[in-house]
Amino acid sequence: MTRSDLPKVLVSACLLGQPVRYDGRASGHPDLLQQWQAEGRVVPLCPEVAGGLPTPRPPAEIPGGQGAQVLDGGAQVLTVNGEDVTPQFLAGAQQALALVRRHGIRVAVLKAGSPSCGNRLTYDGTFSGVKVPGEGVTTALLRREGVQVFSEGELEQAQQALARLPAWP
Ligand code: SF4
């Protein structure tokens, strides 16, 4: 049964079992996200695919910057082959923003560590597996919109944030 008055939550598609990661795989499908789907409150999105990138695709990182700098034109998103995929990352972030506005979303659960979806850490741009504090491009844009962005490791906090929200039409 679904309840249309429950606040919606934007969720990374790869956390819903969809094989949209750069390596053509999914990133699991936690029970709580399955429950939210059954309740009709999940709005899924893979920003990189929505922005026009294929699956599988070369891994990408943000050398010398973070999502906010990419939004402001001060950093690029580059693949391991050196291709500039900044336009696709920006387009995907805009799609996320459009969904948030359309559905009145105030909470998102996005995949940790991603140059699009990461909310606390991203890779440092050297493609050597080193993580640094920061956030991905989509996360940065959603936070500017006032959306609370959690990772799959913070589902309890996301649930608490959702519970604090008023019912939405
Ligand atoms: S982390 Fe984000 S951009 Fe990457 S596959 Fe998952 S949903 Fe797509």
Side-chain angles (χ1 to χ4, degrees):
M1 180 181 293
T2 63
R3 287 180 49 196
S4 60
D5 59 333
L6 288 171
K8 298 278 195 297
V9 53
L10 187 77
V11 180
S12 289
C14 63
L15 293 176
L16 300 168
Q18 297 185 25
V20 292
R21 281 171 38 130
Y22 74 92
D23 57 6
R25 299 167 59 188
S27 293
H29 199 176
D31 290 347
L32 184 57
L33 297 185
Q34 294 184 44
Q35 176 190 319
W36 290 350
Q37 280 183 295
E39 293 170 349
R41 64 195 308 170
V42 167
V43 176
L45 181 73
C46 173
E48 294 174 21
V49 171
L53 293 171
T55 303
R57 54 189 173 276
E61 298 188 3
I62 309 171
Q66 293 295 333
Q69 286 82 52
V70 176
L71 292 176
D72 295 335
Q76 294 177 308
V77 188
L78 301 178
T79 72
V80 69
N81 305 318
E83 180 188 0
D84 181 3
V85 287
T86 307
Q88 292 91 334
F89 272 65
L90 291 173
Q94 288 295 335
Q95 296 233 16
L97 181 62
L99 283 174
V100 157
R101 289 177 173 170
R102 186 183 314 154
H103 295 284
I105 289 171
R106 310 311 299 154
V107 171
V109 174
L110 302 184
K111 177 76 182 75
S114 156
S116 290
C117 295
N119 74 328
R120 295 187 186 278
L121 297 170
T122 62
Y123 291 93
D124 71 349
T126 63
F127 295 94
S128 56
V130 177
K131 291 181 180 176
V132 292
E135 61 193 5
V137 180
T138 291
T139 295
L141 187 60
L142 295 187
R143 282 180 167 156
R144 287 184 179 180
E145 184 75 0
V147 176
Q148 300 176 70
V149 180
F150 301 91
S151 74
E152 72 277 20
E154 301 166 328
L155 291 176
E156 192 172 322
Q157 294 96 313
Q159 189 171 36
Q160 291 167 357
L162 276 173
R164 287 192 293 268
L165 296 175
W168 186 82

